[in-house]
Amino acid sequence: MIFTVAIDGPAAAGKGTISRAVAQRFGFRHLDTGLLYRAVGVLGGDPAEAARRLTPEDLERGDLRTLEAGQAASRVAALPDVRAALLDFQRRFARGEGGAVLDGRDIGTVICPEAEVKLYVTASPEVRAHRRWLEVGGDEAKVLAEVKERDARDMGRADAPLKAAEDAAVIDTSSMGIDEAVEAACVLVAERLHAR
Ligand code: DC
């Protein structure tokens, strides 16, 4: 069976948690595509070269989840050569046998427009910054500024900008608990699976 669930949205909207839960519920493989860009960002050197040489071990690094790695990822993600180098791997993962969940910014629009389920998970910048601040601490106003800066760069870039695919179902988690958001996503996936 080939079945792709594309989950896009801005940082800290809840797409990682939803993606992992959907993958576990349905027994699908999961790829957090942000990790690819984070690894390229922290590896340094020529970003396109780093993207071409990326290994599975690079995705296991312990320093990929920091705010700095997120900013570095967002910067290298604006480079068309970097995106091109990562495209085939993501497409093969998406359309491999067994069902796959991919979360990122351009999965439903560019990587896998034919995905059987497309979700756009979002929340207000303030809510997302608050969640991120609970994880990382520090100055909440600074975290909010960082969230807004990353949104602007990810949505404003010319190549594969963050936006909802026209046929994506939007899940706004601003005033939703994570369990409710997971359930909403699972219902949409189950409906689509059973319709096949
Ligand atoms: O999902 P994340 O916060 O780990 O993503 C880090 C950055 O990587 C994000 O700000 C933009 C970029 N990214 C992207 O351009 N396309 C993707 N499919 C995933 C991430």
Side-chain angles (χ1 to χ4, degrees), residues 13-196:
K15 60 185 190 308
T17 307
I18 294 174
S19 301
R20 283 189 295 276
V22 167
Q24 204 182 11
R25 177 90 58 101
F26 295 95
F28 293 170
R29 292 166 295 118
H30 172 226
L31 179 64
D32 170 358
T33 65
L35 283 182
L36 304 173
Y37 296 92
R38 285 172 181 264
V40 170
V42 299
L43 278 168
D46 174 35
E49 193 58 30
R52 281 191 287 272
R53 290 168 184 261
L54 211 59
T55 65
E57 291 73 48
D58 294 330
L59 304 182
E60 305 287 326
R61 291 174 63 120
D63 55 355
L64 299 184
R65 305 274 179 196
T66 63
L67 289 180
E68 293 73 28
Q71 286 289 5
S74 174
R75 280 193 289 274
V76 298
L79 304 171
D81 285 352
V82 167
R83 305 201 73 83
L86 300 174
L87 192 75
D88 277 354
F89 172 72
Q90 295 177 80
R91 285 211 172 133
R92 269 186 272 115
F93 189 96
R95 298 316 263 173
E97 183 59 35
V101 182
L102 289 85
D103 69 283
R105 302 291 187 288
D106 63 338
I107 309 303
T109 50
V110 174
I111 301 296
C112 194
E114 68 275 40
E116 281 72 16
V117 178
K118 293 184 193 177
L119 305 178
Y120 189 81
V121 180
T122 189
S124 73
E126 288 72 20
V127 167
R128 290 186 285 118
H130 187 67
R131 288 179 190 154
R132 199 34 63 90
W133 173 76
L134 290 174
E135 286 169 15
V136 299
D139 177 357
E140 189 169 349
K142 200 168 152 224
V143 178
L144 176 60
E146 195 266 352
V147 160
K148 287 183 172 171
E149 185 190 337
R150 200 133 74 87
D151 281 358
R153 199 186 295 116
D154 294 347
M155 291 172 183
R157 69 181 176 225
D159 192 13
L162 168 64
K163 63 171 184 223
E166 273 177 22
D167 50 350
V170 177
I171 300 179
D172 188 328
T173 66
S174 300
S175 51
M176 233 185 216
I178 192 63
D179 291 348
E180 200 186 335
V182 164
E183 229 22 69
C186 286
V187 165
L188 290 164
V189 174
E191 274 172 11
R192 201 54 226 270
L193 262 177
H194 293 137
R196 279 158 68 89

